[in-house]
Amino acid sequence: MAAPTSSIITRVAYGVSQLPRVAWYLGHGLALRRLAEAARRSNGAKARRRARTKAPVPDRLRLYADMARLFLQDLANVEAGVYPLPADHDGSLLTLINRSRLFFEDLPEIHRRRERCAYNEVLNQQTRGKRPRYYLQNFHFQSGGWMTDDSAERYDTQVEVLLNGTANAIRRQALPPLSEVFAGRDQRKLRLLDIGCGTGRFLDFVILFHELPPRIRRIAIRECARVLKPGGRLVILDSLQRGDRSGYGGLLELFPQNYHEPYYSSYTNEDFSVLAADCDLKPVRNVNAFISKMMVFDKVLPRSASRPLY
């Protein structure tokens, strides 16, 4: 049976909104790779040894096929009414050009830090003691780490380039499991919390846990359990882990070598179901979305009301 006119319009509108974004960020990625190769040739024998892995790495065709599956799932969520057609408006043309300029201007500094393993530049007299020590690093070798206004301006562009223009679609995959538990309930009595915001019934974490040391990761999970009410839901959206998707193991090994991500390897081996079980969080399901993974947990009644949380 032919698709209704409204469905065709939705699909066309979705494609019109997503394809230019993907092309924009793929173009940035292509330029990035060519500039990186030119810089390596310029450095000659002094160039840092290339990142290496013996595990399989997906080729471009595999990556693009998995990207397509992500967008098809995103569109399916729209057609199912889980969320409206995404605008994904990255700003005016002037804003896009300015963010692109910031992105390319920082590349020489990123290359310098990567070659020299210089990842502690944000740790200085002004920042020391104002943030946890593990956070005062130049993650991704980016200027300012995550600590400055310019860094914030660069962030979305850098992440979209890294993820080939799929970052927004990846983040939206955290919405269906929240929609499930919101459905049929009085919205006025529900609370959705981001990290470290009060107490309530639902929490979501997006692309955070791989940047936490193992000890802090456990504290964060316990804090999730503490603030959730029985019946509440925790949604964690982060990177794939080892064994989640065949053919991607090498990519998970190369990433922390090319970008300063000191806790990523431990994250890829972390068993979140074990961490959750210790905190009265029941695993509901895991879902892969391109190079990301969504983990869903529900809060159950504690085994002992007097059991300490820490």
Side-chain angles (χ1 to χ4, degrees), residues 122-291:
V122 297
L123 179 62
N124 53 48
Q125 293 300 319
Q126 287 71 41
T127 61
R128 191 183 300 274
K130 295 183 178 179
R131 296 288 189 277
R133 173 64 186 88
Y134 68 84
Y135 200 64
L136 293 174
Q137 304 182 52
N138 294 81
F139 287 97
H140 293 208
F141 296 107
Q142 179 179 282
S143 295
W146 307 138
M147 301 286 107
T148 66
D149 290 340
D150 282 346
S151 173
E153 285 292 322
R154 295 186 191 100
Y155 178 81
D156 281 336
T157 300
Q158 289 185 329
V159 171
E160 288 287 9
V161 172
L162 180 64
L163 301 180
N164 295 332
T166 66
N168 283 355
I170 285 174
R171 294 180 182 114
R172 283 191 290 271
Q173 303 318 299
L175 297 178
L178 293 174
S179 176
E180 292 170 3
V181 291
F182 290 171
R185 300 193 185 188
D186 187 342
Q187 305 290 308
R188 295 168 298 179
K189 297 180 180 180
L190 300 180
R191 294 181 181 178
L192 172 65
L193 303 181
D194 287 325
I195 302 165
C197 299
T199 58
R201 202 170 176 87
F202 306 101
L203 288 131
D204 67 304
F205 285 73
V206 179
I207 314 178
L208 168 76
F209 274 91
H210 75 263
E211 292 189 342
L212 298 178
R215 183 180 68 85
I216 305 301
R217 204 177 292 143
R218 282 153 174 75
I219 293 174
I221 287 287
R222 289 197 294 267
E223 188 67 5
C224 292
R226 185 186 70 82
V227 302
L228 275 175
K229 297 176 182 178
R233 173 159 289 187
L234 167 67
V235 178
I236 298 175
L237 183 66
D238 213 302
S239 163
L240 289 174
Q241 295 181 283
R242 292 186 187 275
D244 283 339
R245 178 161 296 197
S246 64
Y248 273 71
L251 199 63
L252 303 185
E253 292 182 5
L254 292 173
F255 175 63
Q257 296 181 56
N258 288 322
Y259 297 83
H260 179 61
E261 287 286 0
Y263 315 117
Y264 185 81
S265 293
S266 70
Y267 162 83
T268 62
N269 290 307
E270 190 74 83
D271 189 340
F272 278 83
S273 64
V274 173
L275 299 186
D278 289 339
C279 306
D280 300 315
L281 293 171
K282 177 183 177 182
V284 176
R285 66 178 178 273
N286 296 335
V287 179
N288 296 340
F290 186 33
I291 57 176

Side-chain angles (χ1 to χ4, degrees), residues 7-143:
S7 180
I8 294 174
I9 292 173
T10 297
R11 294 174 187 182
V12 170
Y14 181 85
V16 168
S17 69
Q18 297 301 315
L19 290 176
R21 295 186 75 254
V22 172
W24 175 258
Y25 293 115
L26 281 176
H28 280 64
L30 176 61
L32 169 63
R33 290 191 295 274
R34 290 185 174 179
L35 289 170
E37 284 300 320
R40 289 188 63 84
R41 288 194 299 270
S42 177
N43 287 350
K46 296 180 181 180
R48 181 180 66 102
R49 192 186 73 171
R50 289 182 182 274
R52 297 179 180 179
T53 179
K54 294 182 179 179
V57 177
D59 59 19
R60 288 282 159 190
L61 289 179
R62 171 71 188 279
L63 288 172
Y64 294 154
D66 289 339
M67 286 170 57
R69 292 186 184 94
L70 168 67
F71 286 123
L72 287 173
Q73 182 59 58
D74 195 33
L75 176 59
N77 292 339
V78 172
E79 293 183 325
V82 177
Y83 43 80
L85 186 71
D88 278 350
H89 183 58
D90 296 311
S92 66
L93 178 60
L94 184 61
T95 298
L96 282 171
I97 292 173
N98 182 58
R99 289 177 177 172
S100 179
R101 175 185 59 81
L102 289 172
F103 172 79
F104 284 109
E105 281 182 351
D106 199 36
L107 291 184
E109 288 300 300
I110 289 175
H111 177 73
R112 175 186 62 80
R113 294 188 191 95
R114 182 178 287 122
E115 292 295 303
R116 299 179 182 179
C117 293
Y119 49 78
N120 281 319
E121 292 182 1
V122 297
L123 179 62
N124 53 48
Q125 293 300 319
Q126 287 71 41
T127 61
R128 191 183 300 274
K130 295 183 178 179
R131 296 288 189 277
R133 173 64 186 88
Y134 68 84
Y135 200 64
L136 293 174
Q137 304 182 52
N138 294 81
F139 287 97
H140 293 208
F141 296 107
Q142 179 179 282
S143 295

